[in-house]
């Protein structure tokens, strides 16, 4: 059994570039329209860790106001040896984000944060 998480965003092309930069990610499986632009795109963060992006507007997407940031949260857990990667990701993803918790130590982790990024996705980045 596999789980694919699809997230719908405005300005898909910019979002793909943003998440590639945040996570040093690559584009995985994808589908493009006749104009050569992405319709669906897998963002591969690391081996076995990915999520999908799709344009929020269109025939099969929900348009208009959407309740974002409080329905689902993606928690990306870094190894203790990857503190620098987490800090780099946080320094980029916080741009334009609604910060719920700044990157900080908590009882269960040396580094954790909680934010809703500029595309409306809620993230927890933490050291496992």
């Amino acid at each position: 059994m596999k789980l694919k998480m699809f997230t719908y965003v405005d300005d898909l092309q910019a979002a793909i570039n943003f998440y590639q930069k945040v996570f040093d990610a690559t584009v995985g499986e994808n589908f493009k329209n006749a104009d050569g632009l992405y319709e669906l795109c897998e963002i591969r963060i690391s081996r076995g860790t990915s999520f999908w992006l799709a344009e929020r507007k269109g025939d099969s997407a929900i348009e208009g106001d959407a309740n974002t940031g409080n329905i689902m949260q993606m928690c990306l857990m870094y190894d203790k040896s990857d503190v620098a990667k987490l800090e780099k990701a946080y320094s980029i993803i916080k741009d334009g984000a609604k910060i719920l918790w700044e990157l900080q130590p908590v009882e269960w982790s040396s580094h954790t944060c909680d934010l809703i990024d500029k595309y409306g996705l809620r993230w927890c980045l933490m050291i496992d």
Side-chain angles (χ1 to χ4, degrees):
M1 184 182 299
K2 291 182 182 180
L3 174 66
K4 282 188 179 181
M5 295 184 0
F6 281 82
T7 56
Y8 293 84
V9 298
D10 291 325
D11 197 357
L12 175 61
Q13 311 310 305
I16 291 167
N17 293 332
F18 178 71
Y19 292 117
Q20 283 183 291
K21 184 176 176 184
V22 169
F23 299 119
D24 292 324
T26 58
V27 171
E29 189 176 353
N30 62 81
F31 302 94
K32 295 182 178 179
N33 63 28
D35 296 335
L37 299 175
Y38 290 106
E39 289 186 31
L40 297 170
C41 180
E42 178 187 21
I43 302 297
R44 290 185 180 161
I45 297 171
S46 66
R47 185 177 181 165
T49 304
S50 66
F51 66 99
W52 285 74
L53 292 174
E55 186 71 46
R56 189 165 80 99
K57 298 175 183 162
D59 294 339
S60 61
I62 299 169
E63 294 190 43
D65 290 339
N67 188 0
T68 60
N70 63 357
I71 301 287
M72 182 181 78
Q73 179 185 56
M74 292 196 276
C75 188
L76 190 56
M77 302 174 86
Y78 291 79
D79 291 331
K80 291 178 183 175
S81 62
D82 289 331
V83 170
K85 282 185 178 181
L86 183 153
E87 289 174 341
K88 178 187 175 219
Y90 179 73
S91 72
I92 298 168
I93 202 168
K94 72 179 186 175
D95 180 45
K98 178 179 180 183
I99 307 292
L100 304 172
W101 284 10
E102 290 282 346
L103 186 61
Q104 61 188 290
V106 291
E107 185 178 321
W108 59 88
S109 176
S110 63
H111 295 74
T112 192
C113 68
D114 186 0
L115 58 86
I116 301 168
D117 73 23
K118 65 184 176 183
Y119 293 99
L121 304 182
R122 187 169 178 176
W123 291 93
C124 166
L125 306 179
M126 68 183 295
I127 297 294
D128 189 13

